[in-house]
């Protein structure tokens, strides 16, 4: 049986995929403004992309932002994420600084998950996982490929490797260059979820060609999906209102369908 996580009353790994919206603003004022603009939207999870924050290496300012976000979103899941340059992030960081920053976020008491690029930072992955778990926080292992979609066996191995390394949630985002690529991702997600893995998966095919993965991921075993409020933060994201409508429709919650 696949494991689920009940975080602030929101169950990851069960039922309708939970909607994540990232915050990628560059300064504290803009971050808080963006967060306040999101409070009435149908979202479950807020991901703070801290790599976009210009003062991210000032740990006091980073903690202050986390405290403000927790105050604005007391009942939402909060993910801390510093996206590495090689996976589409905003700035460079050393392995040591990356590990320390993730630990500070986890120990702040403000976040529920810390995103760790387990495949790209394999040499310090175990230390990141241990420090985050020691703080009582879950790890979202992640892998982003903005170029193409690896073959199904590679995607399955990647998801399973993240689980075996200790990730509580495993996330992959790939770029489809043909319809077959979308099918490859969906097949890999379904096979991992139904045959091999036992923890929640997040699987996304980026660009408009991958939209089906954002809308119908639950059918194939994906537990969360990304939407946009305002400008999209990744290729192929759609508005959270439309995303929520489609998820409700696919999940049979027709009374919640607003269109």
């Amino acid at each position: 049986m696949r494991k689920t996580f009940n975080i602030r009353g929101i169950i990851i790994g069960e039922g309708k995929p939970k909607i994540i919206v990232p915050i990628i603003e560059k300064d504290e004022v803009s971050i808080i403004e963006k967060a306040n603009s999101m409070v009435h939207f149908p979202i479950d999870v807020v991901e703070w992309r801290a790599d976009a924050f210009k003062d991210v290496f000032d740990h006091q300012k980073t903690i202050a932002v986390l405290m403000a976000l927790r105050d604005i979103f007391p009942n939402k899941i909060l993910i801390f994420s510093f996206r590495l340059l090689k996976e589409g992030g905003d700035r460079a960081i050393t392995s040591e600084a990356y590990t320390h920053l993730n630990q500070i976020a986890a120990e702040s008491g403000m976040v529920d998950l810390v995103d760790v690029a387990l495949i790209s930072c394999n040499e310090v992955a175990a230390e990141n996982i241990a420090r985050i778990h020691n703080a009582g926080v879950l790890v979202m292992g992640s892998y982003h490929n903005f170029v193409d979609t690896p073959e199904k066996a590679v995607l399955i191995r990647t998801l399973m490797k993240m689980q075996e390394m200790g990730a509580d949630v495993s996330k992959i985002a790939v770029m489809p260059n043909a319809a077959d690529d979308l099918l490859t991702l969906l097949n890999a997600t379904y096979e991992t979820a139904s045959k091999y893995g036992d923890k929640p998966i997040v699987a996304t095919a980026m660009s408009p060609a991958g939209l089906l993965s954002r809308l119908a991921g639950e059918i194939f075993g994906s537990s969360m999906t990304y939407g946009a409020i305002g400008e999209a933060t990744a290729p192929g994201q759609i508005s959270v209102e439309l995303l929520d409508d489609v998820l409700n429709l696919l999940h049979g919650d027709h009374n919640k369908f607003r269109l």
Side-chain angles (χ1 to χ4, degrees), residues 1 28 42 74 78 90 99 108 114 134 155 175 212 225 253 259:
M1 178 179 294
E28 185 173 359
L78 181 58
D90 259 28
T99 301
S108 71
V114 174
N134 285 341
L155 293 176
M175 182 63 70
L212 182 63
T225 185
D253 297 329
L259 293 181

Side-chain angles (χ1 to χ4, degrees), residues 125-234:
E127 186 174 2
N128 272 264
I129 292 168
R131 292 187 184 191
I132 294 164
H133 280 166
N134 285 341
V137 173
L138 300 177
V139 172
M140 174 182 274
S142 66
Y143 167 72
H144 302 81
N145 185 330
F146 286 85
V147 177
D148 56 20
T149 300
E151 62 184 37
K152 184 177 79 169
V154 173
L155 293 176
I156 292 172
R157 284 200 301 271
T158 300
L159 287 168
M160 289 308 302
K161 181 177 181 180
M162 288 193 282
Q163 291 196 22
E164 291 160 2
M165 293 170 76
D168 303 290
V169 179
S170 300
K171 170 191 168 186
I172 52 173
V174 297
M175 182 63 70
N177 294 312
D180 281 357
D181 290 337
L182 174 58
L183 294 176
T184 296
L185 174 72
L186 296 177
N187 279 325
T189 305
Y190 179 76
E191 192 164 325
T192 304
S194 61
K195 295 183 179 180
Y196 309 120
D198 62 355
K199 296 178 182 177
I201 293 169
V202 182
T204 302
M206 296 179 283
S207 85
L211 181 58
L212 182 63
S213 69
R214 299 182 184 275
L215 300 176
E218 179 186 359
I219 298 170
F220 301 93
S222 185
S223 63
M224 293 192 273
T225 185
Y226 281 78
I229 295 175
E231 184 178 355
T233 61

Side-chain angles (χ1 to χ4, degrees), residues 234-249:
Q237 281 182 4
I238 63 172
S239 72
V240 294
E241 301 104 318
L242 181 56
L243 179 58
D244 187 52
D245 274 340
V246 175
L247 293 176
N248 285 331
L249 183 63

Side-chain angles (χ1 to χ4, degrees), residues 56-60 62-63 66 80 82 93-108 114 116 124 127-129 131-132 135:
V56 67
F57 297 123
D58 183 327
H59 294 154
Q60 288 187 333
T62 294
I63 295 298
L66 287 172
F80 178 84
F82 189 105
I93 188 171
T94 65
S95 295
E96 293 78 10
Y98 181 72
T99 301
H100 187 47
L101 184 61
N102 283 339
Q103 180 181 3
I104 287 171
E107 291 178 346
S108 71
V114 174
V116 181
V124 293
E127 186 174 2
N128 272 264
I129 292 168
R131 292 187 184 191
I132 294 164

